[in-house]
Amino acid sequence: MTDTVTPHLITLDTAAQAQLFTDARTANTFTDEPVTDAQLHAIYDLAKYPPTAANTQPLRVLYTRPGETRNRLLTHLSEGNRAKTATAPVVAVLAADTDFHEFIPRIFPIRPEMRDGLAADAAAREGMARFNATLQIGYWLLAVRAAGLAAGPMAGFDAAAVDRDLFADSTWRSLLVVNLGKPGPDAWYPRLPRLDYDDIVRHA
């Protein structure tokens, strides 16, 4: 276990801190151990709770296992991302739903009229969808780690091509591709430096 855990966070023990943050790494190889549907459900059951604006929850997830859809996805990835994606037990395409507003009467019943306001402003709706889905991606990655899996997030893909190919009949817009599974041999690159507190914080 790393020695950089933070014991001052007494509500989360050091083992949990290590699993979620300090020991967790981006995986580049995976074993052939399956990722189950129960694990995928468990990931969402954690990731759905943290905040989004007006509880809008615009994140959408397409899971692919090896097969025809995965093979189509591979053609839209940067060359350096294809081999590891081809062998991952599950690959997630994380997307923002630009028609998330249709759920507002159900998920934000205190302000159901927000649905009509957003329906009339496609540009604002897309910006809101992308921002809040990106927030949710961070939560989702932590939930993957909490489920005992490793994640390999990748932005190296042609998002427009993925949207045309895999989301042509929907209002989903791809944001990130993530490989999921148990880490395989030589899964990790060396840990890169992190900025210090004083590099990124100001007090006013």
Side-chain angles (χ1 to χ4, degrees), residues 101-102 104-105 111-121 125:
H101 64 294
E102 297 294 349
I104 283 178
R111 290 276 311 279
E113 70 277 8
M114 280 186 62
R115 184 248 170 237
D116 296 334
L118 286 165
D121 192 341
R125 197 169 71 241

Side-chain angles (χ1 to χ4, degrees), residues 79-100:
E79 185 173 352
N81 289 333
R82 290 176 189 165
K84 58 188 174 183
T85 304
T87 58
V90 169
V91 179
V93 183
L94 304 183
D97 183 1
T98 59
D99 273 1
F100 68 88

Side-chain angles (χ1 to χ4, degrees), residues 34-58:
V35 173
T36 67
D37 286 350
Q39 287 172 303
L40 299 180
H41 279 272
I43 289 165
Y44 179 66
D45 284 341
L46 287 178
K48 68 185 179 183
Y49 283 109
T52 54
N55 199 37
T56 46
Q57 307 167 63

Side-chain angles (χ1 to χ4, degrees), residues 20-90:
L20 295 178
F21 296 99
T22 55
D23 281 356
R25 308 291 298 279
T26 294
N28 292 284
T29 69
F30 298 89
T31 70
D32 57 4
E33 182 178 336
V35 173
T36 67
D37 286 350
Q39 287 172 303
L40 299 180
H41 279 272
I43 289 165
Y44 179 66
D45 284 341
L46 287 178
K48 68 185 179 183
Y49 283 109
T52 54
N55 199 37
T56 46
Q57 307 167 63
L59 180 67
R60 306 291 182 261
V61 185
L62 170 68
Y63 286 120
T64 73
R65 290 186 166 90
E68 188 266 339
T69 301
R70 170 80 64 85
N71 292 339
R72 286 161 54 193
L73 175 62
L74 292 175
T75 67
H76 306 310
L77 299 183
S78 301
E79 185 173 352
N81 289 333
R82 290 176 189 165
K84 58 188 174 183
T85 304
T87 58
V90 169

